[in-house]
Short mmCIF file of all heavy atoms in Angstrom, two decimals:
data_model
loop_
_atom_site.label_atom_id
_atom_site.label_comp_id
_atom_site.label_asym_id
_atom_site.label_seq_id
_atom_site.Cartn_x
_atom_site.Cartn_y
_atom_site.Cartn_z
N MET A 1 233.44 48.16 141.10
CA MET A 1 232.60 49.28 140.80
C MET A 1 231.57 48.99 139.76
O MET A 1 230.57 49.71 139.67
CB MET A 1 233.48 50.45 140.32
CG MET A 1 234.11 51.19 141.42
SD MET A 1 233.82 52.90 141.05
CE MET A 1 234.90 53.59 142.21
N ALA A 2 231.76 47.99 138.95
CA ALA A 2 230.82 47.67 137.90
C ALA A 2 229.49 47.13 138.46
O ALA A 2 228.47 47.22 137.81
CB ALA A 2 231.42 46.66 136.93
N ASP A 3 229.51 46.55 139.68
CA ASP A 3 228.28 45.97 140.23
C ASP A 3 227.45 46.99 141.03
O ASP A 3 226.42 46.64 141.54
CB ASP A 3 228.61 44.78 141.09
CG ASP A 3 229.54 45.15 142.25
OD1 ASP A 3 230.25 46.14 142.12
OD2 ASP A 3 229.50 44.43 143.26
N MET A 4 227.89 48.24 141.13
CA MET A 4 227.12 49.26 141.83
C MET A 4 225.99 49.78 140.97
O MET A 4 226.14 49.92 139.76
CB MET A 4 228.03 50.41 142.26
CG MET A 4 229.06 50.00 143.30
SD MET A 4 230.11 51.36 143.79
CE MET A 4 228.97 52.59 144.30
N GLU A 5 224.85 50.10 141.60
CA GLU A 5 223.72 50.67 140.89
C GLU A 5 223.95 52.13 140.58
O GLU A 5 224.58 52.83 141.37
CB GLU A 5 222.45 50.51 141.71
CG GLU A 5 222.00 49.08 141.87
CD GLU A 5 220.67 49.03 142.61
OE1 GLU A 5 219.97 50.03 142.64
OE2 GLU A 5 220.38 47.95 143.15
N PRO A 6 223.46 52.61 139.47
CA PRO A 6 223.58 54.06 139.20
C PRO A 6 222.79 54.85 140.25
O PRO A 6 221.76 54.40 140.75
CB PRO A 6 222.99 54.23 137.81
CG PRO A 6 222.40 52.92 137.41
CD PRO A 6 222.82 51.89 138.41
N PRO A 7 223.21 56.06 140.56
CA PRO A 7 222.53 56.84 141.62
C PRO A 7 221.13 57.31 141.24
O PRO A 7 220.34 57.63 142.12
CB PRO A 7 223.43 58.03 141.84
CG PRO A 7 224.28 58.12 140.62
CD PRO A 7 224.37 56.73 140.05
N ASP A 8 220.77 57.35 139.97
CA ASP A 8 219.45 57.85 139.57
C ASP A 8 218.39 56.76 139.61
O ASP A 8 217.24 57.03 139.33
CB ASP A 8 219.51 58.48 138.17
CG ASP A 8 219.97 57.49 137.12
OD1 ASP A 8 220.51 56.43 137.47
OD2 ASP A 8 219.79 57.80 135.94
N ARG A 9 218.73 55.54 139.93
CA ARG A 9 217.75 54.45 139.98
C ARG A 9 217.02 54.50 141.32
O ARG A 9 217.65 54.44 142.37
CB ARG A 9 218.45 53.14 139.79
CG ARG A 9 217.50 51.99 139.68
CD ARG A 9 218.22 50.74 139.26
NE ARG A 9 217.27 49.67 139.12
CZ ARG A 9 217.60 48.44 138.86
NH1 ARG A 9 218.88 48.13 138.69
NH2 ARG A 9 216.67 47.54 138.75
N LYS A 10 215.71 54.56 141.27
CA LYS A 10 214.88 54.63 142.50
C LYS A 10 214.54 53.22 142.96
O LYS A 10 214.28 52.34 142.14
CB LYS A 10 213.60 55.39 142.22
CG LYS A 10 213.82 56.84 141.87
CD LYS A 10 212.52 57.52 141.59
CE LYS A 10 212.74 58.94 141.14
NZ LYS A 10 211.49 59.59 140.77
N PRO A 11 214.52 53.00 144.27
CA PRO A 11 214.11 51.69 144.76
C PRO A 11 212.63 51.49 144.54
O PRO A 11 211.85 52.42 144.58
CB PRO A 11 214.44 51.74 146.26
CG PRO A 11 214.47 53.18 146.59
CD PRO A 11 214.90 53.91 145.35
N GLN A 12 212.24 50.25 144.23
CA GLN A 12 210.84 49.92 144.00
C GLN A 12 210.10 49.85 145.33
O GLN A 12 210.59 49.24 146.29
CB GLN A 12 210.72 48.57 143.28
CG GLN A 12 211.30 48.57 141.89
CD GLN A 12 210.53 49.49 140.96
OE1 GLN A 12 209.31 49.60 141.08
NE2 GLN A 12 211.21 50.14 140.04
N PRO A 13 208.91 50.46 145.41
CA PRO A 13 208.15 50.39 146.67
C PRO A 13 207.58 49.00 146.88
O PRO A 13 207.23 48.30 145.94
CB PRO A 13 207.03 51.40 146.46
CG PRO A 13 206.87 51.51 145.01
CD PRO A 13 208.24 51.27 144.40
N ASP A 14 207.55 48.58 148.13
CA ASP A 14 206.95 47.28 148.43
C ASP A 14 205.46 47.45 148.74
O ASP A 14 204.93 48.55 148.70
CB ASP A 14 207.69 46.58 149.55
CG ASP A 14 207.69 47.40 150.85
OD1 ASP A 14 207.29 48.55 150.80
OD2 ASP A 14 208.09 46.85 151.88
N GLY A 15 204.79 46.39 149.08
CA GLY A 15 203.35 46.45 149.26
C GLY A 15 202.91 47.29 150.45
O GLY A 15 201.86 47.95 150.37
N SER A 16 203.70 47.31 151.51
CA SER A 16 203.31 48.10 152.68
C SER A 16 203.36 49.59 152.37
O SER A 16 202.53 50.37 152.85
CB SER A 16 204.16 47.77 153.88
OG SER A 16 205.50 48.12 153.64
N ASP A 17 204.33 50.01 151.57
CA ASP A 17 204.39 51.44 151.21
C ASP A 17 203.15 51.86 150.43
O ASP A 17 202.59 52.92 150.66
CB ASP A 17 205.64 51.73 150.36
CG ASP A 17 206.91 51.65 151.13
OD1 ASP A 17 206.86 51.73 152.39
OD2 ASP A 17 207.98 51.49 150.51
N MET A 18 202.74 51.02 149.51
CA MET A 18 201.55 51.34 148.70
C MET A 18 200.30 51.31 149.56
O MET A 18 199.40 52.12 149.35
CB MET A 18 201.47 50.38 147.53
CG MET A 18 202.59 50.55 146.54
SD MET A 18 202.62 49.32 145.23
CE MET A 18 201.24 49.86 144.28
N GLY A 19 200.24 50.42 150.50
CA GLY A 19 199.08 50.35 151.39
C GLY A 19 198.96 51.58 152.29
O GLY A 19 197.87 52.13 152.47
N TRP A 20 200.09 52.02 152.85
CA TRP A 20 200.07 53.23 153.67
C TRP A 20 199.74 54.47 152.85
O TRP A 20 199.06 55.38 153.31
CB TRP A 20 201.40 53.41 154.38
CG TRP A 20 201.58 52.48 155.54
CD1 TRP A 20 202.44 51.46 155.65
CD2 TRP A 20 200.83 52.48 156.77
NE1 TRP A 20 202.31 50.83 156.84
CE2 TRP A 20 201.32 51.43 157.55
CE3 TRP A 20 199.81 53.27 157.26
CZ2 TRP A 20 200.81 51.15 158.81
CZ3 TRP A 20 199.29 53.00 158.52
CH2 TRP A 20 199.79 51.96 159.28
N ARG A 21 200.22 54.50 151.62
CA ARG A 21 199.91 55.63 150.73
C ARG A 21 198.40 55.64 150.43
O ARG A 21 197.78 56.70 150.43
CB ARG A 21 200.69 55.50 149.44
CG ARG A 21 200.42 56.67 148.50
CD ARG A 21 201.18 56.55 147.22
NE ARG A 21 202.59 56.50 147.46
CZ ARG A 21 203.49 56.11 146.57
NH1 ARG A 21 203.13 55.72 145.39
NH2 ARG A 21 204.76 56.12 146.89
N ALA A 22 197.84 54.47 150.15
CA ALA A 22 196.41 54.40 149.88
C ALA A 22 195.59 54.85 151.10
O ALA A 22 194.63 55.63 150.97
CB ALA A 22 196.03 52.97 149.48
N LEU A 23 195.98 54.40 152.27
CA LEU A 23 195.27 54.79 153.48
C LEU A 23 195.40 56.30 153.70
O LEU A 23 194.43 56.96 154.07
CB LEU A 23 195.85 54.03 154.69
CG LEU A 23 195.21 54.33 156.02
CD1 LEU A 23 193.77 53.83 156.04
CD2 LEU A 23 196.03 53.69 157.13
N GLY A 24 196.57 56.84 153.45
CA GLY A 24 196.77 58.27 153.64
C GLY A 24 195.94 59.10 152.68
O GLY A 24 195.34 60.11 153.08
N TYR A 25 195.89 58.68 151.41
CA TYR A 25 195.05 59.40 150.44
C TYR A 25 193.58 59.38 150.83
O TYR A 25 192.91 60.40 150.79
CB TYR A 25 195.20 58.81 149.05
CG TYR A 25 196.44 59.21 148.29
CD1 TYR A 25 197.00 58.37 147.35
CD2 TYR A 25 197.06 60.42 148.53
CE1 TYR A 25 198.15 58.73 146.64
CE2 TYR A 25 198.19 60.79 147.84
CZ TYR A 25 198.72 59.94 146.90
OH TYR A 25 199.83 60.32 146.21
N LEU A 26 193.08 58.21 151.21
CA LEU A 26 191.68 58.11 151.55
C LEU A 26 191.32 58.87 152.80
O LEU A 26 190.34 59.64 152.83
CB LEU A 26 191.29 56.64 151.71
CG LEU A 26 191.25 55.83 150.41
CD1 LEU A 26 190.96 54.37 150.74
CD2 LEU A 26 190.20 56.36 149.48
N LEU A 27 192.12 58.72 153.84
CA LEU A 27 191.80 59.43 155.09
C LEU A 27 191.96 60.94 154.95
O LEU A 27 191.11 61.68 155.44
CB LEU A 27 192.70 58.92 156.24
CG LEU A 27 192.33 57.57 156.81
CD1 LEU A 27 193.31 57.17 157.91
CD2 LEU A 27 190.91 57.56 157.35
N SER A 28 193.00 61.37 154.29
CA SER A 28 193.17 62.81 154.17
C SER A 28 192.08 63.44 153.29
O SER A 28 191.61 64.54 153.60
CB SER A 28 194.55 63.14 153.59
OG SER A 28 194.68 62.64 152.28
N GLY A 29 191.64 62.74 152.26
CA GLY A 29 190.56 63.25 151.44
C GLY A 29 189.26 63.36 152.22
O GLY A 29 188.55 64.38 152.17
N ILE A 30 188.94 62.30 152.96
CA ILE A 30 187.69 62.29 153.74
C ILE A 30 187.75 63.33 154.84
O ILE A 30 186.76 64.07 155.04
CB ILE A 30 187.45 60.89 154.31
CG1 ILE A 30 187.11 59.91 153.20
CG2 ILE A 30 186.34 60.91 155.35
CD1 ILE A 30 187.07 58.46 153.62
N ILE A 31 188.87 63.46 155.54
CA ILE A 31 188.95 64.44 156.62
C ILE A 31 188.93 65.88 156.08
O ILE A 31 188.20 66.73 156.62
CB ILE A 31 190.23 64.18 157.46
CG1 ILE A 31 190.06 62.86 158.23
CG2 ILE A 31 190.50 65.32 158.42
CD1 ILE A 31 191.32 62.38 158.89
N PHE A 32 189.67 66.14 155.03
CA PHE A 32 189.73 67.50 154.50
C PHE A 32 188.38 67.94 153.94
O PHE A 32 187.83 68.98 154.32
CB PHE A 32 190.83 67.64 153.43
CG PHE A 32 190.88 68.98 152.80
CD1 PHE A 32 191.48 70.01 153.47
CD2 PHE A 32 190.34 69.21 151.56
CE1 PHE A 32 191.55 71.27 152.92
CE2 PHE A 32 190.40 70.46 150.98
CZ PHE A 32 191.00 71.50 151.66
N TRP A 33 187.83 67.16 153.03
CA TRP A 33 186.57 67.55 152.38
C TRP A 33 185.39 67.43 153.34
O TRP A 33 184.44 68.21 153.24
CB TRP A 33 186.33 66.74 151.11
CG TRP A 33 187.28 67.12 150.04
CD1 TRP A 33 188.37 66.43 149.60
CD2 TRP A 33 187.25 68.34 149.27
NE1 TRP A 33 189.01 67.13 148.61
CE2 TRP A 33 188.34 68.29 148.38
CE3 TRP A 33 186.39 69.42 149.21
CZ2 TRP A 33 188.61 69.31 147.47
CZ3 TRP A 33 186.66 70.43 148.31
CH2 TRP A 33 187.76 70.37 147.46
N GLY A 34 185.45 66.46 154.25
CA GLY A 34 184.42 66.41 155.28
C GLY A 34 184.45 67.63 156.20
O GLY A 34 183.42 68.14 156.60
N GLY A 35 185.66 68.09 156.51
CA GLY A 35 185.79 69.32 157.32
C GLY A 35 185.25 70.53 156.60
O GLY A 35 184.59 71.37 157.22
N LEU A 36 185.53 70.63 155.32
CA LEU A 36 184.96 71.73 154.54
C LEU A 36 183.43 71.66 154.51
O LEU A 36 182.74 72.68 154.60
CB LEU A 36 185.51 71.76 153.13
CG LEU A 36 186.94 72.28 152.97
CD1 LEU A 36 187.36 72.21 151.51
CD2 LEU A 36 187.08 73.68 153.49
N GLY A 37 182.90 70.46 154.32
CA GLY A 37 181.46 70.29 154.35
C GLY A 37 180.84 70.65 155.69
O GLY A 37 179.76 71.24 155.76
N TYR A 38 181.55 70.32 156.76
CA TYR A 38 181.07 70.68 158.09
C TYR A 38 181.04 72.19 158.27
O TYR A 38 180.09 72.76 158.81
CB TYR A 38 181.96 70.04 159.15
CG TYR A 38 181.59 70.38 160.56
CD1 TYR A 38 180.43 69.82 161.13
CD2 TYR A 38 182.33 71.26 161.32
CE1 TYR A 38 180.07 70.14 162.42
CE2 TYR A 38 181.97 71.59 162.59
CZ TYR A 38 180.84 71.01 163.16
OH TYR A 38 180.47 71.33 164.43
N LEU A 39 182.07 72.87 157.77
CA LEU A 39 182.08 74.34 157.84
C LEU A 39 180.96 74.95 157.02
O LEU A 39 180.36 75.94 157.44
CB LEU A 39 183.45 74.87 157.40
CG LEU A 39 184.61 74.56 158.31
CD1 LEU A 39 185.91 75.06 157.72
CD2 LEU A 39 184.39 75.16 159.70
N VAL A 40 180.66 74.38 155.86
CA VAL A 40 179.52 74.85 155.05
C VAL A 40 178.22 74.63 155.81
O VAL A 40 177.34 75.48 155.78
CB VAL A 40 179.52 74.14 153.67
CG1 VAL A 40 178.22 74.39 152.94
CG2 VAL A 40 180.72 74.59 152.85
N ASP A 41 178.11 73.49 156.52
CA ASP A 41 176.91 73.25 157.33
C ASP A 41 176.76 74.30 158.40
O ASP A 41 175.66 74.78 158.65
CB ASP A 41 176.99 71.87 158.00
CG ASP A 41 176.66 70.73 157.07
OD1 ASP A 41 176.01 70.99 156.04
OD2 ASP A 41 177.09 69.61 157.38
N LEU A 42 177.85 74.66 159.05
CA LEU A 42 177.76 75.69 160.07
C LEU A 42 177.40 77.04 159.50
O LEU A 42 176.61 77.81 160.08
CB LEU A 42 179.08 75.82 160.85
CG LEU A 42 179.45 74.64 161.76
CD1 LEU A 42 180.81 74.88 162.39
CD2 LEU A 42 178.40 74.46 162.82
N TRP A 43 177.95 77.32 158.33
CA TRP A 43 177.71 78.63 157.69
C TRP A 43 176.29 78.74 157.20
O TRP A 43 175.62 79.78 157.39
CB TRP A 43 178.71 78.77 156.53
CG TRP A 43 178.59 80.05 155.77
CD1 TRP A 43 178.46 81.31 156.25
CD2 TRP A 43 178.60 80.17 154.34
NE1 TRP A 43 178.40 82.22 155.23
CE2 TRP A 43 178.49 81.55 154.04
CE3 TRP A 43 178.74 79.26 153.31
CZ2 TRP A 43 178.50 82.01 152.74
CZ3 TRP A 43 178.74 79.74 152.03
CH2 TRP A 43 178.61 81.10 151.73
N LEU A 44 175.77 77.70 156.56
CA LEU A 44 174.41 77.75 155.99
C LEU A 44 173.34 77.15 156.91
O LEU A 44 172.17 77.08 156.56
CB LEU A 44 174.37 76.99 154.65
CG LEU A 44 175.26 77.55 153.55
CD1 LEU A 44 175.20 76.68 152.31
CD2 LEU A 44 174.86 78.99 153.22
N GLU A 45 173.74 76.68 158.08
CA GLU A 45 172.86 76.08 159.08
C GLU A 45 172.06 74.92 158.51
O GLU A 45 170.84 74.84 158.62
CB GLU A 45 171.93 77.14 159.67
CG GLU A 45 172.66 78.23 160.40
CD GLU A 45 171.78 79.37 160.90
OE1 GLU A 45 170.55 79.28 160.69
OE2 GLU A 45 172.31 80.29 161.47
N LEU A 46 172.77 73.99 157.87
CA LEU A 46 172.18 72.79 157.30
C LEU A 46 172.31 71.62 158.28
O LEU A 46 173.21 71.60 159.11
CB LEU A 46 172.86 72.43 155.97
CG LEU A 46 172.73 73.42 154.85
CD1 LEU A 46 173.60 73.02 153.68
CD2 LEU A 46 171.28 73.58 154.42
N PRO A 47 171.43 70.60 158.20
CA PRO A 47 171.51 69.48 159.12
C PRO A 47 172.50 68.41 158.66
O PRO A 47 172.10 67.30 158.28
CB PRO A 47 170.09 68.96 159.13
CG PRO A 47 169.58 69.28 157.77
CD PRO A 47 170.23 70.58 157.38
N LYS A 48 173.77 68.67 158.66
CA LYS A 48 174.87 67.73 158.34
C LYS A 48 174.85 67.21 156.91
O LYS A 48 175.37 66.16 156.62
CB LYS A 48 174.85 66.53 159.31
CG LYS A 48 174.92 66.89 160.77
CD LYS A 48 176.28 67.37 161.17
CE LYS A 48 176.35 67.56 162.66
NZ LYS A 48 176.54 68.91 163.07
N VAL A 49 174.24 67.94 156.01
CA VAL A 49 174.22 67.54 154.60
C VAL A 49 175.59 67.78 153.97
O VAL A 49 176.13 66.95 153.26
CB VAL A 49 173.11 68.29 153.84
CG1 VAL A 49 173.17 67.97 152.36
CG2 VAL A 49 171.76 67.96 154.41
N GLY A 50 176.18 68.94 154.28
CA GLY A 50 177.49 69.26 153.72
C GLY A 50 178.56 68.32 154.21
O GLY A 50 179.49 67.97 153.46
N LEU A 51 178.47 67.87 155.44
CA LEU A 51 179.42 66.92 155.99
C LEU A 51 179.40 65.62 155.21
O LEU A 51 180.43 65.08 154.80
CB LEU A 51 179.16 66.67 157.47
CG LEU A 51 180.02 65.60 158.15
CD1 LEU A 51 181.48 66.05 158.17
CD2 LEU A 51 179.50 65.32 159.54
N LEU A 52 178.20 65.11 154.97
CA LEU A 52 178.04 63.86 154.19
C LEU A 52 178.54 64.01 152.78
O LEU A 52 179.29 63.16 152.27
CB LEU A 52 176.58 63.43 154.21
CG LEU A 52 176.25 62.17 153.41
CD1 LEU A 52 176.97 60.98 154.03
CD2 LEU A 52 174.76 61.94 153.36
N VAL A 53 178.15 65.08 152.12
CA VAL A 53 178.60 65.32 150.74
C VAL A 53 180.11 65.50 150.69
O VAL A 53 180.79 64.96 149.82
CB VAL A 53 177.86 66.54 150.14
CG1 VAL A 53 178.45 66.94 148.81
CG2 VAL A 53 176.38 66.25 149.99
N GLY A 54 180.65 66.23 151.67
CA GLY A 54 182.11 66.44 151.70
C GLY A 54 182.88 65.15 151.90
O GLY A 54 183.91 64.93 151.28
N MET A 55 182.36 64.28 152.77
CA MET A 55 183.03 62.99 152.97
C MET A 55 182.96 62.13 151.74
O MET A 55 183.95 61.44 151.41
CB MET A 55 182.43 62.28 154.19
CG MET A 55 182.75 62.99 155.51
SD MET A 55 181.95 62.26 156.92
CE MET A 55 182.86 60.75 157.07
N LEU A 56 181.84 62.13 151.04
CA LEU A 56 181.73 61.36 149.80
C LEU A 56 182.66 61.90 148.71
O LEU A 56 183.31 61.13 148.00
CB LEU A 56 180.29 61.34 149.33
CG LEU A 56 179.31 60.50 150.17
CD1 LEU A 56 177.89 60.72 149.67
CD2 LEU A 56 179.71 59.07 150.19
N VAL A 57 182.74 63.22 148.60
CA VAL A 57 183.62 63.83 147.62
C VAL A 57 185.07 63.52 147.99
O VAL A 57 185.89 63.23 147.11
CB VAL A 57 183.37 65.35 147.52
CG1 VAL A 57 184.47 66.06 146.76
CG2 VAL A 57 182.03 65.63 146.90
N GLY A 58 185.42 63.57 149.26
CA GLY A 58 186.76 63.26 149.70
C GLY A 58 187.15 61.81 149.41
O GLY A 58 188.28 61.54 149.00
N ALA A 59 186.23 60.89 149.63
CA ALA A 59 186.52 59.49 149.33
C ALA A 59 186.70 59.29 147.83
O ALA A 59 187.60 58.57 147.39
CB ALA A 59 185.37 58.60 149.84
N ALA A 60 185.86 59.94 147.03
CA ALA A 60 185.99 59.84 145.57
C ALA A 60 187.31 60.44 145.10
O ALA A 60 187.97 59.89 144.23
CB ALA A 60 184.82 60.53 144.88
N ALA A 61 187.70 61.57 145.67
CA ALA A 61 188.95 62.19 145.30
C ALA A 61 190.14 61.33 145.69
O ALA A 61 191.13 61.21 144.94
CB ALA A 61 189.10 63.57 145.95
N GLY A 62 190.08 60.69 146.86
CA GLY A 62 191.15 59.80 147.28
C GLY A 62 191.28 58.59 146.37
O GLY A 62 192.38 58.18 146.02
N ILE A 63 190.16 58.03 145.96
CA ILE A 63 190.17 56.89 145.05
C ILE A 63 190.71 57.32 143.69
O ILE A 63 191.51 56.59 143.07
CB ILE A 63 188.76 56.25 144.95
CG1 ILE A 63 188.41 55.60 146.28
CG2 ILE A 63 188.71 55.25 143.82
CD1 ILE A 63 187.00 55.15 146.39
N TYR A 64 190.32 58.50 143.23
CA TYR A 64 190.83 59.00 141.95
C TYR A 64 192.35 59.15 142.00
O TYR A 64 193.05 58.77 141.07
CB TYR A 64 190.15 60.34 141.61
CG TYR A 64 190.79 61.03 140.44
CD1 TYR A 64 190.57 60.59 139.15
CD2 TYR A 64 191.64 62.12 140.63
CE1 TYR A 64 191.18 61.21 138.06
CE2 TYR A 64 192.25 62.75 139.58
CZ TYR A 64 192.01 62.30 138.29
OH TYR A 64 192.62 62.93 137.23
N LEU A 65 192.85 59.73 143.08
CA LEU A 65 194.31 59.91 143.19
C LEU A 65 195.04 58.56 143.26
O LEU A 65 196.12 58.41 142.72
CB LEU A 65 194.64 60.74 144.43
CG LEU A 65 194.35 62.22 144.32
CD1 LEU A 65 194.59 62.92 145.66
CD2 LEU A 65 195.18 62.86 143.24
N LEU A 66 194.42 57.59 143.92
CA LEU A 66 195.03 56.26 143.98
C LEU A 66 195.13 55.63 142.61
O LEU A 66 196.15 55.07 142.23
CB LEU A 66 194.21 55.35 144.89
CG LEU A 66 194.47 55.48 146.37
CD1 LEU A 66 193.50 54.62 147.14
CD2 LEU A 66 195.88 55.09 146.69
N ILE A 67 194.04 55.72 141.86
CA ILE A 67 194.03 55.13 140.51
C ILE A 67 195.05 55.84 139.62
O ILE A 67 195.79 55.22 138.87
CB ILE A 67 192.61 55.20 139.92
CG1 ILE A 67 191.70 54.25 140.68
CG2 ILE A 67 192.63 54.87 138.44
CD1 ILE A 67 190.24 54.39 140.31
N LYS A 68 195.09 57.18 139.73
CA LYS A 68 196.04 57.94 138.91
C LYS A 68 197.48 57.63 139.31
O LYS A 68 198.36 57.52 138.44
CB LYS A 68 195.76 59.42 139.08
CG LYS A 68 196.55 60.29 138.17
CD LYS A 68 196.10 61.72 138.24
CE LYS A 68 196.94 62.53 137.28
NZ LYS A 68 196.45 63.85 137.09
N GLN A 69 197.75 57.46 140.58
CA GLN A 69 199.09 57.19 141.06
C GLN A 69 199.57 55.80 140.64
O GLN A 69 200.73 55.58 140.32
CB GLN A 69 199.14 57.32 142.58
CG GLN A 69 200.48 57.17 143.20
CD GLN A 69 201.33 58.43 143.07
OE1 GLN A 69 200.81 59.46 142.69
NE2 GLN A 69 202.57 58.33 143.37
N MET A 70 198.68 54.81 140.67
CA MET A 70 199.09 53.44 140.41
C MET A 70 199.04 53.03 138.94
O MET A 70 199.50 51.96 138.59
CB MET A 70 198.24 52.49 141.24
CG MET A 70 198.46 52.68 142.71
SD MET A 70 197.84 51.34 143.65
CE MET A 70 198.17 51.94 145.28
N SER A 71 198.46 53.87 138.10
CA SER A 71 198.45 53.53 136.67
C SER A 71 199.80 53.91 136.06
O SER A 71 200.44 54.87 136.46
CB SER A 71 197.32 54.27 135.95
OG SER A 71 197.57 55.66 135.99
N PRO A 72 200.25 53.10 135.09
CA PRO A 72 201.59 53.38 134.52
C PRO A 72 201.67 54.60 133.68
O PRO A 72 200.91 55.25 133.20
CB PRO A 72 201.86 52.14 133.66
CG PRO A 72 200.60 51.40 133.53
CD PRO A 72 199.63 51.95 134.54
#
């Protein structure tokens, strides 16, 4: 029983888990904020400006979350 790990110890994530998390953050940010920008374009009748801005904001938000998640 002395060689068993305590139950509160979490397993360390490997590289593939971090890669999938990064991909998920980036894609979900771009899709969500790009979708909101597209809806703003439809509402204000703009020529895809909101879509572009929304996708850029989503990418920036995804990168911010990645940096925040991976910093100690």
Side-chain angles (χ1 to χ4, degrees):
M1 278 228 191
D3 59 335
M4 293 180 56
E5 291 184 20
D8 59 345
R9 187 171 182 184
K10 296 179 184 175
Q12 295 294 326
D14 59 349
S16 64
D17 289 341
M18 294 174 73
W20 285 112
R21 182 182 299 165
L23 181 66
Y25 280 152
L26 289 175
L27 284 179
S28 63
I30 291 171
I31 291 170
F32 178 78
W33 289 104
L36 285 179
Y38 178 73
L39 291 175
V40 168
D41 282 339
L42 290 178
W43 180 45
L44 298 177
E45 298 175 2
L46 296 173
K48 304 288 187 245
V49 175
L51 176 65
L52 178 64
V53 170
M55 290 175 72
L56 290 173
V57 168
I63 291 170
Y64 170 76
L65 286 175
L66 279 174
I67 291 171
K68 187 172 180 170
Q69 185 80 10
M70 295 196 184
S71 65

